[in-house]
Amino acid sequence: MCAEQACLALRLFGPMQSWGTESRFNRRDTALLPSKSALAGLICAALGARRGSPQEAAALRALQAMPLLVVAVPRFLPGHGGAQANAAGRGRPLIRRRLEDFHTVLGTKTAEGKKRADAVLTLRQYLQDAAFLALFSGPASELDSMAEALRNPVWGVWLGRKSCIPSRPVFGGLFPDEATALAELLPVPLAGCVYAREAGDFAQGTDSLPDQPLCFGMGRRAFAPRRVTFHEPEKEAEVDMWTALDGEEAEDAQGAEWTEKTQSRLAPEA
């Protein structure tokens, strides 16, 4: 890219994803949208930047200054949802759902440093059937090297955890600006999607997230808060999506979607 500014696009598609922001001890949660810390870690892995290294510090400083837009990409099941939806080339909306699994971990230590004899049960959450688009806007000179690393990553890249494998190449392209990237990669208008946009200052944001990474070094992990604005489409903007379904089927699916939105906030209030 020869322009001074550019927009780096990441496609986050996979059957299972996990983006923890509030995980503590044996309960590992997932937010409904990817966190900036996880995306920064993914880029550092692609660059081959070791934890706590000067290369990592430089990458994190650059990403900290770049505003992030994360969009939940609507997905549909072809061949489902009635004649109207199939005539329009779309099917039933594929709803993101949380899955909670448990793992048993042996060989953990107590606070005193003693090895536990029994296994520890950990609860872990995942997102199913999710797809996201993440856009970093910043200097082209810095995004060029990140784009090249995502094309040919040094280490593996995952969707939050090593068990969450991308189903498509993560590198989505390097574009002149955000509008061009959205027009190329997003199948519907941005206004009809759930998204989180990083705010320029505190007053412009609506929520605070503790996911601005400062260091990933062992024993030196540090994060700062960042302000974001969450957007959910107005109900009227979603009507066209739900006309893809017929009768009680539409009511059941829409009810499940609104229940999930009510019960699970994207992030806690600051």
Side-chain angles (χ1 to χ4, degrees):
M1 300 290 293
C2 58
E4 293 183 0
Q5 295 291 310
C7 180
L8 175 64
L10 281 68
R11 292 178 299 191
L12 308 169
F13 285 67
M16 294 181 67
Q17 307 185 30
S18 189
W19 309 101
T21 56
E22 298 293 327
S23 298
R24 294 292 184 274
F25 305 108
N26 64 338
R27 190 170 189 87
R28 320 302 291 180
D29 72 343
T30 180
L32 293 179
L33 292 174
S35 64
K36 190 172 186 179
S37 56
L39 298 178
L42 184 154
I43 291 174
C44 285
L47 290 167
R50 297 189 177 277
R51 289 178 181 268
S53 66
Q55 183 184 11
E56 178 201 84
L60 293 183
R61 281 195 302 269
L63 291 170
Q64 186 175 1
M66 297 180 189
L68 170 65
L69 172 66
V70 176
V71 185
V73 179
R75 301 177 68 194
F76 302 89
L77 289 172
H80 295 76
Q84 182 178 358
N86 293 325
R90 301 191 309 186
R92 176 190 303 182
L94 192 58
I95 300 173
R96 289 173 296 151
R97 300 187 186 277
R98 274 195 178 104
L99 167 70
E100 188 167 277
D101 194 10
F102 68 90
H103 294 244
T104 52
V105 183
L106 290 171
T108 61
K109 294 184 178 181
T110 66
E112 294 77 22
K114 298 179 180 179
K115 188 175 181 179
R116 287 190 177 92
D118 299 326
V120 173
L121 181 67
T122 64
L123 300 175
R124 306 189 184 192
Q125 292 183 345
Y126 300 88
L127 292 179
Q128 297 176 289
D129 301 319
F132 302 102
L133 182 64
L135 304 179
F136 285 95
S137 298
S141 58
E142 295 176 342
L143 289 175
D144 278 335
S145 60
M146 296 179 185
E148 184 57 37
L150 289 170
R151 289 191 188 97
N152 186 24
V154 176
W155 298 325
V157 293
W158 329 105
L159 303 181
R161 293 201 185 113
K162 287 186 177 180
S163 60
C164 301
I165 309 299
S167 60
R168 297 187 186 182
V170 170
F171 177 65
L174 194 59
F175 299 88
D177 51 50
E178 181 184 284
T180 305
L182 290 172
E184 180 72 22
L185 299 175
L186 194 62
V188 298
L190 179 62
C193 300
V194 174
Y195 65 82
R197 181 183 293 279
E198 191 164 353
D201 56 41
F202 188 89
Q204 293 178 356
T206 58
D207 291 86
S208 295
L209 296 178
D211 67 344
Q212 185 79 267
L214 304 178
C215 180
F216 291 130
M218 298 300 294
R220 295 185 290 128
R221 290 168 60 89
F223 302 87
R226 68 184 180 104
R227 292 290 283 176
V228 299
T229 298
F230 288 114
H231 172 270
E232 291 191 47
E234 297 293 333
K235 196 169 184 180
E236 290 75 11
E238 293 186 287
V239 169
D240 184 61
M241 176 185 293
W242 296 113
T243 58
L245 306 180
D246 296 320
E248 294 182 1
E249 186 180 36
E251 294 179 3
D252 291 342
Q254 190 173 11
E257 175 74 355
W258 291 118
T259 298
E260 180 180 353
K261 288 180 180 178
T262 301
Q263 294 178 344
S264 304
R265 285 186 56 83
L266 291 172
E269 288 288 337

